Amino acid sequence: MAVSGFEGFEKRLELHFFGDDPLSKINNNMGLRLLDFESIEQVLRAVQCTVVSAVGNHFFDAYVLSESSMFVYPTKIIIKTCGTTQLLKSIRPLTHFANKLNIKLCGCRYTRGSFIFPKSQPFPHTNFKEEVIYIEENLPKNLVYRKAAVMPSKNPCYSWHVFAAGDQNHCKKSNSDVTFEICMTELDRHLARKFYKKAGDCKTGDSAGKDMTVLTGIDDINPRAFICDFAFDPCGYSMNGIDGDRYSTIHVTPEDGYSYASFECVGSVYDDDVDIVETLKKAVQVFKPATVSVSTTSNSREVWTTVARAMEPLGLKCRTFAMDEFPAAGTVVFQTFTAARRK
């Protein structure tokens, strides 16, 4: 293991908003999508990253960032950043800009795995306790229902950190959404090399990214999705997939010794189990990792069973299972898997 390197494990923040004011811009179905690019840039400056590519459809806007991704819906924003970004510093400016649109924060969820290089993280990400204190100091008082927990695994390097908060109305809402967050380490070396730009390659990040998407089979994970991809110099890759009102996203840090990839997608508790299993299986097969952790967030206690069905045929055995309830988030199930044998 390297003493220090690029931190692949992302921090993920999901903020939910509402507008009960007659002047609220949510009434015209655009909501937070009306935030101008200058405001978005200001938020990302606080986080210490930039936009490298963007695409949108009728439902939401998707941004590939210099460190991961951001998705903006009319009443929801998801920001996922890796490296030494200071993600939680986005809460205050996002709340400020939303307030200008007469839109108020009503729900917050923060998740992350265990950092590979925790000592390299800046404030407020030095440890989970500091992160929770910082979030609570920056949330409005109406988010009265709050909970923080570290979901353990047999290997302390793969714990799952969750903070969730919501106001009275947001906590009562029930929805059918499911979020799958997959973190993969010790990627197959041959497959990881596909995420390096070739020496002397003068292609742009967009062009090289498209090549990697096809070369690795990422375009086959969900053939319906429109993919916005980007390759970094000299290595690394990010993509956002857009399929109707659903997003998927992949981020790859391929360096040997601390290789890492993540796959995240959203679905519904009403989706066909076979489709979910196939999607998760295809995503993991792109990388053939030695270790996989999967967090499933939904209002259903059953969706997590599809995860094991996707991993087991790939030779990945479930080592840890943890389940917990969170306000405004529902049930979070955390599972870790390791390869039975590595050739």
Side-chain angles (χ1 to χ4, degrees), residues 80-95:
K80 189 169 183 170
T81 64
C82 55
T84 53
T85 49
Q86 295 162 284
L87 176 61
L88 296 178
K89 290 190 176 179
S90 66
I91 297 174
R92 194 180 285 259
L94 276 173
T95 306

Side-chain angles (χ1 to χ4, degrees), residues 35-51 63 65 70 72 77 79 81 85-98 100 134:
L35 288 174
D36 58 43
F37 191 64
E38 195 178 315
S39 300
I40 287 170
E41 281 186 312
Q42 201 170 319
V43 171
L44 295 177
R45 258 198 305 275
V47 175
Q48 297 194 332
C49 62
T50 57
V51 173
Y63 299 84
L65 307 178
M70 176 170 73
V72 182
I77 288 183
I79 311 183
T81 64
T85 49
Q86 295 162 284
L87 176 61
L88 296 178
K89 290 190 176 179
S90 66
I91 297 174
R92 194 180 285 259
L94 276 173
T95 306
H96 168 74
F97 290 128
K100 285 188 167 183
Y134 187 87

Side-chain angles (χ1 to χ4, degrees), residues 11-60:
K11 315 160 183 94
R12 181 187 186 277
L13 181 68
E14 181 171 325
L15 300 175
H16 289 256
F17 297 81
F18 76 100
D20 57 2
D21 187 313
L23 298 172
S24 167
K25 301 295 191 297
I26 286 178
N27 293 337
N28 63 12
N29 295 323
M30 286 298 284
L32 296 162
R33 297 181 71 186
L34 292 174
L35 288 174
D36 58 43
F37 191 64
E38 195 178 315
S39 300
I40 287 170
E41 281 186 312
Q42 201 170 319
V43 171
L44 295 177
R45 258 198 305 275
V47 175
Q48 297 194 332
C49 62
T50 57
V51 173
V52 298
S53 193
V55 68
N57 67 5
H58 180 67
F59 300 98
F60 67 102

Side-chain angles (χ1 to χ4, degrees), residues 24 32-33 68 75 104 144 157 174 210-211 245 252 304 320:
S24 167
L32 296 162
R33 297 181 71 186
S68 302
T75 61
K104 308 294 181 191
V144 291
C157 296
S174 179
K210 282 181 175 40
D211 289 348
D245 62 350
V252 187
W304 63 268
T320 305

Side-chain angles (χ1 to χ4, degrees), residues 320-341:
T320 305
F321 176 92
M323 182 187 288
D324 206 344
E325 304 285 332
F326 291 87
T331 302
V332 176
V333 175
F334 178 62
Q335 299 172 84
T336 63
F337 301 83
T338 57
R341 183 173 294 174

Side-chain angles (χ1 to χ4, degrees), residues 147-158:
K147 180 176 177 177
V150 179
M151 302 179 76
S153 77
K154 286 179 182 172
N155 183 339
C157 296
Y158 295 100

